[in-house]
Amino acid sequence: MIVFLNGQFLPKEEARISPDDRAFLFADGAYEVVRAYRGHLFCAAEHWNRFRDSLRALRIPYPAGVDFSGIANELLKRNQLVDAEATVYLQVSRGAAPRRHAFPAGEVAPTVYGFAAPFTNPAEKWAQGVKVLTLPDQRWARCDIKSVSLLPNVLANQQAQEAGAHEALLIRDGFATEGSLSNFGAIFAGVLHTAPRNNYILPGISRQVALSLCSALGIPVREQPVAEADLKNAAEAMLFGTTNEIMPVVQINDQPVGDGRPGPLTRQLQQAFRESVEEGRRRG
Ligand SMILES: Cc1ncc(COP(=O)(O)O)c(C=O)c1O
């Protein structure tokens, strides 16, 4: 596997990162994951804009002269993934410096790391839908930053997996915020409810695509979080994410959602999402 590290493409075995790197010591960095559909980076500009926002919020200097699309495309090429389904991961940390909490004194170059990996579509889950497990949202109050500090997400995701669920559904103050790696939406009386963009959710690119599709399809949207107590009344539920796309949720804990099968609006959104991927590929 060929990875990117600080300006160079090299075999992963040769990539060396300092133990002083602040991502290692403090989880002091941000990242992005972009889906590549046979060489087409879906919503790349939106991902890089969010990367910029995350870095700005963390006060990590935007790495000079870095072209994220260029790196991502080169990673796909060098790993023979141009004609495949893949994801590209890119991370920027505050760099390596002797350990102290405050930012390093003087100029420290950010560490830029990236890799591409083959991706298998969760076709069966898209068709049949998945279970989610509600868990307390134990994250900080800046969930809008795509920080590599993901321990509460990791723990929640693990707990969900152990319960046979596909994803955790995080509950803060009695309301569903999002998943451990996806946004959440539910249909009530034909209206899609999803938590609003604020500091308690990641502004998901797929969520934004889904909201645009709702607008195009005439599905009304209410950007308002679903109360935990109302989850059992949802007619349909779904996850939005780069790897999940639009994932039907057919069970929340032990309760089926609706009739326990992916609902019609979820199906419509899945179909429209696929079409927008194809449209993106055609436009190049
Ligand atoms: C916490 C969280 N919410 C939502 C998402 C979905 O965002 P996107 O659609 O941009 O992948 C992710 C993606 O990794 C995430 O980690």
Side-chain angles (χ1 to χ4, degrees), residues 50 139 146 153 178-183 202 204-206 241-242:
R50 185 175 63 187
R139 300 171 303 161
K146 202 163 166 64
N153 308 56
E178 60 179 336
S180 70
L181 48 78
S182 54
N183 293 110
L202 186 79
I205 308 300
S206 320
T242 289

Side-chain angles (χ1 to χ4, degrees), residues 81-108:
L81 291 170
V82 172
D83 296 318
E85 303 295 328
T87 54
V88 179
Y89 177 93
L90 287 166
Q91 172 178 321
V92 175
S93 86
R94 201 181 305 277
R99 187 184 184 280
R100 58 192 274 273
H101 284 62
F103 298 170
E107 295 259 307
V108 172

Side-chain angles (χ1 to χ4, degrees), residues 134-244:
T134 57
L135 288 171
D137 192 341
Q138 294 179 323
R139 300 171 303 161
W140 67 337
R142 288 305 307 272
C143 305
D144 54 317
I145 302 172
K146 202 163 166 64
S147 151
V148 296
S149 179
L150 285 171
L151 211 35
N153 308 56
V154 166
L155 293 173
N157 192 277
Q158 177 64 22
Q159 203 173 329
Q161 305 287 319
E162 285 170 0
H166 172 72
E167 171 62 304
L169 176 56
L170 304 176
I171 309 292
R172 190 188 287 261
D173 298 331
F175 291 88
T177 50
E178 60 179 336
S180 70
L181 48 78
S182 54
N183 293 110
F184 175 74
I187 305 282
F188 295 90
V191 179
L192 175 73
H193 291 232
T194 189
R197 262 189 78 158
N198 60 24
N199 54 313
Y200 292 124
I201 68 160
L202 186 79
I205 308 300
S206 320
R207 171 187 177 280
Q208 203 53 49
V209 170
L211 295 188
S212 307
L213 295 174
C214 281
S215 159
L217 294 166
I219 302 171
V221 171
R222 196 167 299 160
E223 289 190 63
Q224 170 179 301
V226 178
E228 184 178 18
D230 289 337
L231 287 170
K232 62 180 182 311
N233 302 321
E236 303 180 34
M238 64 199 88
L239 303 170
F240 310 121
T242 289
T243 51
N244 280 295

